[in-house]
Amino acid sequence: MKIAVLPGDGIGKEIIVEAQRVLLALDLGIAMEEAPVGGTAYEACGEPLPKSTLDLCKSADAILFGAVGDPRFDAIPRDKRPEQAILGLRKELGLFANLRPATVFPELADASSLRPEVVAGLDILILRELTGDIYFGQPRGIHKVESGPFAGHREGFDTMRYSEPEVRRIAQVGFEAARKRGRKLCSVDKANVLETSQLWREVVTQMGKDYPDVELSHMYVDNAAMQLVRNPKQFDVIVTGNMFGDILSDEASMLTGSIGMLPSASMDERGKGLYEPIHGSAPDIAGKGVANPLATILSVAMMLRYSLDRLAAADRVEAAVKKVLATGLRTPDIFQPGTRKVGTREMGEAVIAAL
Ligand code: NAD
């Protein structure tokens, strides 16, 4: 197995090193090949996503990504900006499924804006379809209304649409992910109002018959938004479309209160994925050795589970992170009185020791 390692910009370089060291410590015989991306790549060769980097990603079994973004390149043309690299990778690799876990380690439950007992031990996965829905549907535009009460005024319109194969492939990722976790899948839609959602629900229900070991439920998106703050622990895996997932995944990540702790994955149809922390390049703390590497280390665990099928190794990494938090070590972003403040390297070393 070979993985492509793209550290990127800012703290990306610091946190990726720790994740690589964790992977080496597991001794799984996985080869790692590094390539530039984002501002670093633009500086070196004038492109945020050089062809050589893309080729490496295409030939790898999975991609481990740090973060991109550098204020020095804020003024350059949009298509050369570091952040374009992510969009390019998603498009070129056909990454249509976005997996965002929201996990609250009991030791960090105080960081949430919700009461600790509501979120302590939370472990849910939001699965968002990334390439369809109202964000991409045609027709779309702004035109002048020709008749009716608003005639003569401008009107904006977009098209929500999902084809059966698109629903089927994201639902399949949902069922398979649920199988690797708590075997519960909640499909979120708005089937009481939208035809797109009616078809979505029909297809997911039909597929549920092939997964008798997974408990399937359906929920309207407005109720799901409410249930996520009322009782988020009722969920295991949530699968939903692009727009509902956009909103619900941000809501869910904020339940945890700590951006430096959350991993994510974007996957293609064959289970190949790009794994990255949900945070950006954090220019305000870059180079200071204080960034929290745990989101990236937990991204390695996701990579082992979802792309490399090394479930035991994934469990080991997550258990090691839990153990380190239980000993009271904290990077500054999750520091609380009574715990011990450490830097990026020391946190990485503690995880390796716990392994
Ligand atoms: P950010 O996530 O980089 O930082 C937001 C805040 O969280 C900052 O105060 C930062 O110090 C802190 N933070 C983030 N990660 C941390 C970590 N691991 N440990 C400790 N603290 C951490 O978001 P931003 O400041 O809005 O964006 C900075 C740059 O990153 C921009 O160029 C943006 O476009 C880019 N960005 C990239 C990605 C990506 O690569 N996928 C995602 C989001 C933002």
Side-chain angles (χ1 to χ4, degrees):
M1 285 182 283
K2 177 176 85 174
I3 63 162
V5 179
L6 315 186
D9 308 320
I11 61 167
K13 297 184 177 71
E14 301 161 52
I15 52 179
I16 278 282
V17 173
E18 300 311 319
Q20 281 180 289
R21 279 156 36 91
V22 167
L23 202 49
L24 278 175
L26 287 167
D27 199 18
L28 299 170
I30 297 170
M32 295 185 240
E33 205 171 311
E34 216 173 295
V37 73
T40 311
Y42 175 76
E43 209 166 27
C45 57
E47 291 293 336
L49 180 59
K51 184 172 178 307
S52 53
T53 299
L54 185 57
D55 287 346
L56 170 67
C57 293
K58 284 183 176 166
S59 71
D61 297 297
I63 299 133
L64 185 61
F65 191 95
V68 288
D70 186 328
R72 284 182 304 150
F73 304 121
D74 278 354
I76 64 174
R78 178 175 272 280
D79 64 324
K80 300 284 183 197
R81 296 267 301 265
E83 292 84 351
Q84 290 299 316
I86 288 260
L87 302 178
L89 280 167
R90 275 188 192 160
K91 190 163 161 253
E92 292 290 332
L93 301 176
L95 306 175
F96 71 94
N98 186 229
L99 288 77
R100 293 246 307 241
T103 310
V104 178
F105 294 94
E107 295 81 3
L108 302 180
D110 285 341
S112 173
S113 51
L114 297 190
R115 287 199 311 277
E117 67 269 25
V118 177
V119 293
L122 178 72
D123 179 9
I124 62 178
L125 176 69
I126 309 254
L127 178 57
R128 166 190 172 193
E129 203 285 335
L130 264 189
T131 55
D133 205 352
I134 195 163
Y135 295 164
F136 296 95
Q138 293 290 342
R140 59 190 293 164
I142 298 174
H143 66 186
K144 205 168 254 180
V145 184
E146 290 187 351
S147 58
F150 303 111
H153 293 276
R154 288 195 310 151
E155 170 185 74
F157 62 101
D158 299 275
T159 303
M160 179 179 262
R161 54 159 299 284
Y162 267 120
S163 63
E164 283 188 80
E166 284 172 295
V167 179
R168 219 172 281 127
R169 67 179 185 179
I170 189 75
Q172 188 179 349
V173 178
F175 282 111
E176 297 292 339
R179 267 190 175 160
K180 291 178 176 173
R181 296 174 39 101
R183 294 179 182 267
K184 273 169 52 178
L185 180 67
C186 179
S187 170
V188 169
D189 61 38
K190 189 74 181 166
N192 50 344
V193 181
L194 302 170
E195 266 77 7
T196 313
S197 284
Q198 274 174 27
L199 180 72
W200 175 286
R201 189 176 283 217
E202 208 180 285
V203 173
V204 175
T205 304
Q206 188 64 32
M207 285 185 70
K209 294 181 185 148
D210 296 335
Y211 294 88
D213 52 326
V214 175
E215 184 192 318
L216 173 65
S217 62
H218 301 273
M219 197 178 273
Y220 298 136
V221 63
D222 42 350
N223 187 24
M226 194 169 71
Q227 295 299 331
L228 268 175
V229 288
R230 194 185 73 85
N231 177 19
K233 284 189 241 175
Q234 69 184 283
F235 297 107
D236 176 25
V237 180
I238 290 176
V239 65
T240 189
N242 204 345
M243 181 167 65
F244 299 155
D246 189 2
I247 299 163
L248 294 181
S249 62
D250 267 20
E251 183 189 1
S253 67
M254 278 302 109
L255 297 176
T256 73
S258 36
I259 195 173
M261 296 293 304
L262 294 175
S264 76
S266 303
M267 299 182 62
D268 76 0
E269 286 191 50
R270 294 178 312 282
K272 175 163 151 175
L274 179 147
Y275 297 83
E276 58 172 333
I278 70 159
H279 60 72
S281 57
D284 53 333
I285 56 167
K288 295 185 178 156
V290 296
N292 187 345
L294 294 180
T296 317
I297 290 171
L298 291 168
S299 300
V300 168
M302 282 191 87
M303 180 172 76
L304 292 166
R305 178 170 296 122
Y306 294 113
S307 281
L308 306 181
D309 217 23
R310 307 300 287 258
L311 304 193
D315 289 345
R316 276 184 71 199
V317 173
E318 286 165 356
V321 169
K322 251 183 210 143
K323 203 165 159 187
V324 169
L325 291 173
T327 63
L329 296 196
R330 302 282 187 274
T331 42
D333 58 310
I334 51 172
F335 175 77
Q336 287 154 345
T339 59
R340 188 158 78 80
K341 205 180 277 187
V342 296
T344 312
R345 172 48 51 100
E346 208 177 328
M347 187 56 107
E349 265 164 14
V351 173
I352 291 166
L355 275 178

